[in-house]
Amino acid sequence: MPVVYCFSATGNSLYVAKRIAAALGGEVRSLSRPDAVCDEKVIGFVFPAYFWGLPNLVDRFLRDLPPPAKDAYLFAVTTYGGAAPGVLGAVGKRLREKGLRLSYGGKLKMPDNYLPAYTVKDSEAIRLRIDRELDALIEDVVHSKRKAVAAYTPLSRLVHRQFPAHQSDCDSHFTVSAACTRCGVCGRACPVGNIALPPEEGPRFAHRCELCLACLHACPAAALDWKTGTVGKARYRNPHITPQELIDLCAPKVAQGEPVS
Ligand SMILES: Cc1cc2nc3c(=O)[nH]c(=O)nc-3n(C[C@H](O)[C@H](O)[C@H](O)COP(=O)(O)O)c2cc1C
């Protein structure tokens, strides 16, 4: 059965992965759980671009992936908010290390969830454009089309070096406001189990943060901020995806608790 491995903090990539998996008659699996089995003949990777590169957990996943069959159709799709040059080249590079070739690479511009720098822009027109581009991409993948990707350039590497999550304590810049109700949603939304919630205290961060901002966007009280750029800005979740879907597909089982509405 075709499998689409997905990582998604706010649902953009999960929406894309679900649509592709449905068209292929396959299933979506989490990129944030190290339980990959790669004996399928059609394997996809769908994830957001981070600082012109891969999220750290996606890079680790690809590095540690058991090599799929040489004749497997391997595709990758990155969702991004503004520019993501070379990101798919980074996937190609990881696969080449295993003697494999990326068969198809696709990019999809979606609302930018990097709240420290931007305000999320979403509208009906944007959603229509995304669906149009996604339909074309799905058509390609369903017909096992080939599409080469641009190389991972020194400039992309330079930009990616600025990614704050290369420092594991980047979570020390999170602040928790008095609006926090200790509901635990942030801990359940975190894809790497980085947030503990002692009952009488606020969220406690364990310094293995991916800076995906899933916690910040998921908090129903908007009580989390990262540095000052996120203060007062509207939080985001892809309108096609429920909070519980994000938790079920993208967060580790150990962090799950009550369903989230
Ligand atoms: C830490 C971080 C870094 C990001 N870096 C980039 C980037 O370099 N280029 C870009 O176009 N978008 C960037 N974005 C925006 C996301 O790639 C984009 O919104 C993506 O669709 C989010 O997908 P998700 O909802 O599946 O998490 C970044 C977002 C975050 C949280």
Side-chain angles (χ1 to χ4, degrees):
M1 182 199 278
V3 58
V4 183
Y5 287 104
C6 175
F7 168 60
S8 181
T10 57
N12 287 348
S13 310
L14 182 50
Y15 174 59
V16 172
K18 278 181 68 181
R19 290 275 318 273
I20 297 175
L24 288 170
E27 66 175 19
V28 178
R29 287 192 205 152
S30 175
L31 255 165
S32 50
R33 289 186 202 131
D35 58 356
V37 189
C38 272
D39 47 7
E40 298 84 3
K41 284 286 165 36
V42 178
I43 302 169
F45 309 98
V46 183
F47 56 85
Y50 284 177
F51 280 73
W52 292 21
L54 303 175
N56 291 338
L57 70 84
V58 174
D59 192 40
R60 287 196 301 274
F61 181 92
L62 292 170
R63 188 196 60 200
D64 299 339
L65 189 74
K70 291 268 181 221
D71 62 343
Y73 178 72
L74 303 174
F75 66 92
V77 179
T78 186
T79 70
Y80 68 103
V87 174
L88 293 164
V91 177
K93 188 168 164 287
R94 278 288 180 223
L95 293 177
R96 271 198 308 282
E97 288 166 7
K98 297 177 190 296
L100 299 162
R101 268 187 84 146
L102 185 62
S103 315
Y104 180 95
K107 286 164 72 169
L108 201 54
K109 187 168 187 244
M110 298 186 82
D112 197 317
N113 69 356
Y114 191 58
L115 227 51
Y118 307 105
T119 303
V120 182
K121 288 191 190 71
D122 195 10
S123 69
E124 195 52 36
I126 290 173
R127 290 178 205 173
L128 286 172
R129 193 258 310 148
I130 289 169
D131 277 340
R132 239 186 355 260
E133 292 179 11
L134 181 54
D135 285 345
L137 201 151
I138 288 171
E139 189 71 7
D140 284 353
V141 171
V142 163
H143 291 99
S144 306
K145 281 216 179 130
R146 313 248 148 202
K147 189 168 169 189
V149 299
Y152 191 52
T153 63
L155 179 59
S156 295
R157 193 167 296 129
L158 195 70
V159 172
H160 193 59
R161 246 185 245 141
Q162 314 306 312
F163 182 27
H166 293 316
Q167 271 70 51
S168 55
D169 64 348
C170 67
D171 55 11
S172 54
H173 297 291
F174 277 107
T175 52
V176 185
S177 79
C180 174
T181 62
R182 321 278 192 264
C183 68
V185 167
C186 55
R188 277 179 274 148
C190 177
V192 289
N194 186 45
I195 306 174
L197 257 169
E200 296 308 317
E201 300 167 40
R204 205 193 281 153
F205 297 86
H207 302 328
R208 49 172 182 268
C209 182
E210 294 278 331
L211 200 64
C212 68
L213 304 179
C215 56
L216 183 147
H217 284 284
C219 173
L224 284 173
D225 280 295
W226 191 78
K227 295 192 173 175
T228 53
T230 62
V231 178
K233 290 182 181 170
R235 274 43 178 166
Y236 173 75
R237 176 170 37 81
N238 185 285
H240 302 285
I241 298 295
T242 66
Q244 190 62 44
E245 275 183 297
L246 270 175
I247 289 176
D248 287 346
L249 276 148
C250 295
K253 283 203 171 87
V254 286
Q256 289 182 26
E258 291 299 306
V260 177
S261 55

